[in-house]
Amino acid sequence: NVGLRHIGRGTLFCRGMFTRRKVKAVDGDVLILDELDEADQRNKKFAFDRLLHSKLQHVRELSQPSIPDYGIDEAFSRSDQRFWHLQCPACGKYTCLELALEERDKRPVPEAFRPVPKGATWAKPDQRYYRACLHCEAPLDMAKGEWVARHPAQPVRGYHLSQLYTQI
């Protein structure tokens, strides 16, 4: 079977959520719903039924959001909504690139994206913009931060991953 793999003492079975019959066919301990927004949302409840026997019942839902209140956006809205907050190396305060947006040229752009000052020795030669601390404008290190939940009382963890934090 193309979707079946044995890894050590475990078994991995990969299957799409395109039909109800495929979703209901295999029980498991871990359910990973990848590209959730591309799947038939009516089949999602049957996928969760496949975990009812399990003591683990681990679920991971992954996708790029497509429309509000659908798929991954709907799942994220029920979570504690964790966003990556960067700690400034200069002043120690935190900045979240995704939560502070302004409109530039009719597009939302993070307020923390600033033009590189002339003579900045820390910038790459062709670099035009940098990610700045919103409090003191010092350059931020994308790797130095922590996940902060907007709704910490929610029992389900949800992580908002963004390309704004690439370290290239």
Side-chain angles (χ1 to χ4, degrees):
N1 190 324
V2 175
L4 182 64
R5 297 281 185 265
H6 295 286
I7 302 168
R9 297 182 338 189
T11 303
L12 173 67
F13 194 79
C14 298
R15 186 159 248 192
M17 271 191 359
F18 301 111
T19 67
R20 184 178 300 176
R21 186 173 112 302
K22 283 189 174 187
V23 173
K24 293 171 72 173
V26 180
D27 288 336
D29 292 310
V30 177
L31 176 64
I32 300 174
L33 302 172
D34 188 22
E35 295 302 342
L36 182 61
D37 281 29
E38 303 294 324
D40 186 338
Q41 301 298 300
R42 296 173 295 183
N43 293 334
K44 186 176 169 181
K45 64 182 172 200
F46 297 109
F48 284 103
D49 287 349
R50 303 294 82 208
L51 298 175
L52 293 176
H53 77 286
S54 173
K55 291 179 182 173
L56 293 176
Q57 296 187 357
H58 287 292
V59 177
R60 297 295 180 263
E61 297 176 81
L62 314 164
S63 194
Q64 183 172 350
S66 57
I67 54 177
D69 299 321
Y70 178 84
I72 199 68
D73 185 67
E74 186 270 331
F76 186 69
S77 70
R78 289 183 283 110
S79 75
D80 65 358
Q81 300 182 16
R82 292 169 186 249
F83 288 85
W84 188 244
H85 289 246
L86 300 166
Q87 186 171 26
C88 177
C91 71
K93 294 183 180 177
Y94 286 86
T95 295
C96 179
L97 300 179
E98 299 157 274
L99 298 178
L101 301 174
E102 63 186 15
E103 194 164 309
R104 293 185 203 160
D105 299 323
K106 298 182 182 179
R107 293 183 356 194
V109 176
E111 287 180 33
F113 281 29
R114 306 281 168 84
V116 173
K118 289 187 189 232
T121 57
W122 46 263
K124 296 176 185 172
D126 60 341
Q127 186 176 347
R128 294 178 26 216
Y129 292 91
Y130 76 106
R131 297 167 188 115
C133 171
L134 290 177
H135 308 282
C136 74
E137 297 193 0
L140 296 169
D141 182 345
M142 299 304 104
K144 295 194 173 138
E146 64 185 64
W147 291 102
V148 178
R150 291 175 84 183
H151 306 288
Q154 292 288 85
V156 175
R157 286 186 177 185
Y159 296 87
H160 192 276
L161 305 176
S162 173
Q163 292 178 347
L164 296 174
Y165 298 98
T166 57
Q167 297 181 38
I168 296 173

